Amino acid sequence: MSTSSLARGALIVFEGCDRSGKSTQCLMLVERLKALGKRVQHLRFPDRSTPTGQKINAYLANASEMQDDKIHQLFSENRWEAVPSMLEALKNGTTLVVDRYAFSGVAFSSAKGLDLEWCKKPDAGLPAPDAVIYLDIPIEAAMKRGDFGNERYETRAFQEKVAAQYKKLQTPSWMMMDARLPIDQLQADIFNIASKVIADAQNAPVGKLW
Ligand code: FDM
Ligand code: MG
């Protein structure tokens, strides 16, 4: 039986603190896969283009206030509204390269003091990533890459708390990458990992969080 027409895409998620290089590495991976003729789509959460995303954007820009539990749920809703198109893409053989996902949701909200298990609940049932690639960077090295921006959460003290929460979410299946490596070397490692993940996901069902 030929399985090529049934081969699904892979769900590859990038996580890490601010200035760890996620956006750069996602873009490079997407471009390389495209150049090889692979079907691939780049997503990022929050998706600021939707109505929920615009509310989130205002909150992050400190232009509006919201209770911690409410904004947490809004970030989750922003992912859930993308699920039908994500599942459709995966089914059609499109690999999704995703810049932040539910792990950001839990790490950032629990870093404010919300209960970690409570934080996981709204995202339960989301499509599970086939791989979580974590760009690990000591806060000192991240700071050397230049000042954080002006958005909410972009402070050293808060990022340290986020890193500690991420640690609690890490499982042995996460791909821990040294984000201090030269960009091209890091990309080469990521590309190799992604290629294997894409091959392995082809005939496997899409899982569910958590
Ligand atoms: N963030 C991101 C959250 O607090 N919860 C979430 O669920 C997600 C996806 O939003 F500070 C935070 C993380 C970051 C901010 O993300 C915006 P980008 O990657 O800097 O746009
Ligand atoms: Mg940011």
Side-chain angles (χ1 to χ4, degrees):
M1 186 181 80
S2 164
T3 52
S4 58
S5 62
L6 300 172
R8 73 163 171 94
L11 178 54
I12 301 176
V13 167
F14 282 76
E15 290 282 3
C17 287
D18 274 25
R19 307 214 146 265
S20 58
K22 292 184 300 303
S23 303
T24 303
Q25 293 297 331
C26 279
L27 275 172
M28 290 173 84
L29 178 61
V30 167
E31 289 312 313
R32 183 146 178 210
L33 291 172
K34 271 189 192 159
L36 290 169
K38 305 265 188 217
R39 286 188 184 193
V40 59
Q41 200 184 327
H42 186 193
L43 301 180
R44 74 178 306 156
F45 292 110
D47 174 355
R48 303 190 193 214
S49 70
T50 70
T52 54
Q54 283 158 22
K55 280 190 206 162
I56 290 169
N57 186 56
Y59 174 82
L60 290 172
N62 293 307
S64 71
E65 292 303 319
M66 223 182 285
Q67 285 177 351
D68 292 342
D69 55 340
K70 289 284 179 294
I71 187 67
H72 178 71
Q73 282 158 339
L74 201 60
F75 272 110
S76 176
E77 209 177 311
N78 185 248
R79 283 184 278 281
W80 275 107
E81 61 196 12
V83 167
S85 63
M86 287 172 71
L87 290 175
E88 188 60 26
L90 292 173
K91 199 175 122 198
N92 291 336
T94 301
T95 285
L96 300 176
V97 174
V98 187
D99 190 341
R100 295 193 186 281
Y101 200 50
F103 311 97
S104 282
V106 177
F108 278 76
S109 290
S110 64
K112 295 173 174 175
L114 293 181
D115 179 68
L116 187 135
E117 289 306 319
W118 181 86
C119 288
K120 287 168 81 170
K121 284 189 181 140
D123 287 311
L126 280 180
D130 295 299
V132 178
I133 298 177
Y134 186 81
L135 300 193
D136 199 16
I137 189 163
I139 199 83
E140 306 296 337
M143 298 292 293
K144 284 195 191 127
R145 293 182 172 183
D147 287 336
F148 290 125
N150 296 319
E151 286 203 322
R152 201 184 286 262
Y153 305 147
E154 293 183 329
T155 66
R156 181 192 178 123
F158 192 73
Q159 294 287 323
E160 278 171 351
K161 287 185 187 165
V162 171
Q165 295 310 108
Y166 265 131
K167 280 219 171 72
K168 297 179 187 168
L169 295 172
Q170 283 157 18
T171 66
S173 70
W174 283 29
M175 309 290 179
M176 303 299 291
M177 314 300 294
D178 183 348
R180 292 168 300 183
L181 288 173
I183 289 180
D184 290 330
Q185 197 181 328
L186 184 54
Q187 179 58 211
D189 293 347
I190 287 173
F191 176 77
N192 287 337
I193 289 169
S195 301
K196 186 172 186 312
V197 170
I198 291 168
D200 290 349
Q202 281 187 27
N203 300 302
V206 179
K208 286 186 178 183
L209 280 182
W210 292 91

